[in-house]
Amino acid sequence: MNGGDRIRLRWIPGHQGVKGNEEVDVEAKKAAEGETSSGGELPKILQKNLPTNKAAEKQRFNKEVKEVRAERWKRYAEGRFISKTAPELPSKKHCVKLGELSRKGASIWTQLKTGHVGLNKHLHRIKVTDSPKCTSCKTHDESVEHYLLHCKAYKRERIAMKRRIKGGTKDIGRLLGNQRNANAVIDYVVATGRLKWIKNKGGEKEERRRTGERGRRGQGRSGESGG
């Protein structure tokens, strides 16, 4: 070794009962808790700032961004309709699901989850219609919950939707909060014909099929390039 120093390595069964190892263990715990020696007490090689671990720094940054984003979303959604239907937003699962839907389907799903959809309760709130009442039953406000779960005008379409829904359809939060229900809910909306901007009732499933095929082809190309 430099300077004529010699180091002898010895195998020991554990820290317990070995004075030197016990002392090292204590100092290691202090360092882990943030306690460190003054610069003058350290060897010269350790007095310089250690290089930043890029992977660890990136992981720390992403974690911090995720926590801040979740906290801001929680404050924004508090007391709003979306706190029932999308408490986890923004989430990776939601983005993945939107990528699997057609453009029309993604728009329907997002509008229903936010409550910003062409139903009379929302349209009345933004002063587009004179009344928030349902155009079919004339007695209840036409909210997302009323339209999807209760309006008798769409009983047949609702029965078809219920057959495909897991976990029941009695709670709007469980219905729209589960990404696996997206296709069944979207097909219900298309079948009712309530949203006037949806003109082609038979085109949604075909568009969804094409979207799925494009996604699978994209995954195949990624796999080939990765291999």
Side-chain angles (χ1 to χ4, degrees), residues 97-98 100-109 164 182-191 197-212 214:
K97 187 59 186 179
L98 290 184
E100 296 173 352
L101 300 173
S102 67
R103 182 178 297 180
K104 183 194 300 180
S107 179
I108 294 172
W109 186 237
R164 300 169 58 189
N183 289 338
V185 173
I186 292 167
D187 289 344
Y188 168 89
V189 173
V190 173
W197 60 272
I198 304 175
K199 297 179 181 180
N200 184 2
K201 289 188 178 184
E204 166 59 21
K205 290 184 179 180
E206 176 61 22
E207 187 176 350
R208 186 187 303 158
R209 183 187 64 79
R210 292 196 300 267
T211 301
R214 287 196 297 269

Side-chain angles (χ1 to χ4, degrees), residues 3 9 19 27 69 73 75 85 101 148 176 178 196:
L9 300 178
K19 182 180 179 181
E27 296 301 321
R69 182 179 62 182
W73 178 259
R75 291 200 303 267
T85 61
L101 300 173
L148 291 179
L176 297 180
N178 190 336
K196 302 303 182 184

Side-chain angles (χ1 to χ4, degrees), residues 93-139:
K93 286 183 179 180
H94 178 69
C95 294
V96 169
K97 187 59 186 179
L98 290 184
E100 296 173 352
L101 300 173
S102 67
R103 182 178 297 180
K104 183 194 300 180
S107 179
I108 294 172
W109 186 237
T110 300
Q111 288 182 35
L112 290 172
K113 286 171 79 74
T114 60
H116 292 200
V117 63
L119 300 174
N120 283 343
K121 184 174 182 179
H122 173 66
L123 296 177
H124 179 69
R125 184 168 61 246
I126 61 176
K127 304 185 186 307
V128 174
T129 58
D130 295 330
S131 171
K133 297 298 182 183
C134 176
T135 55
S136 299
C137 68
K138 313 292 185 183
T139 55

Side-chain angles (χ1 to χ4, degrees), residues 39-67:
E41 295 178 350
L42 296 172
K44 288 185 178 181
I45 194 173
L46 298 179
Q47 291 180 13
K48 299 179 181 179
N49 292 330
L50 296 175
T52 301
N53 186 310
K54 292 183 179 181
E57 186 63 19
K58 182 179 180 180
Q59 185 178 24
R60 182 202 63 78
F61 175 77
N62 289 339
K63 181 181 179 182
E64 184 177 326
V65 168
K66 186 177 180 180
E67 291 174 350

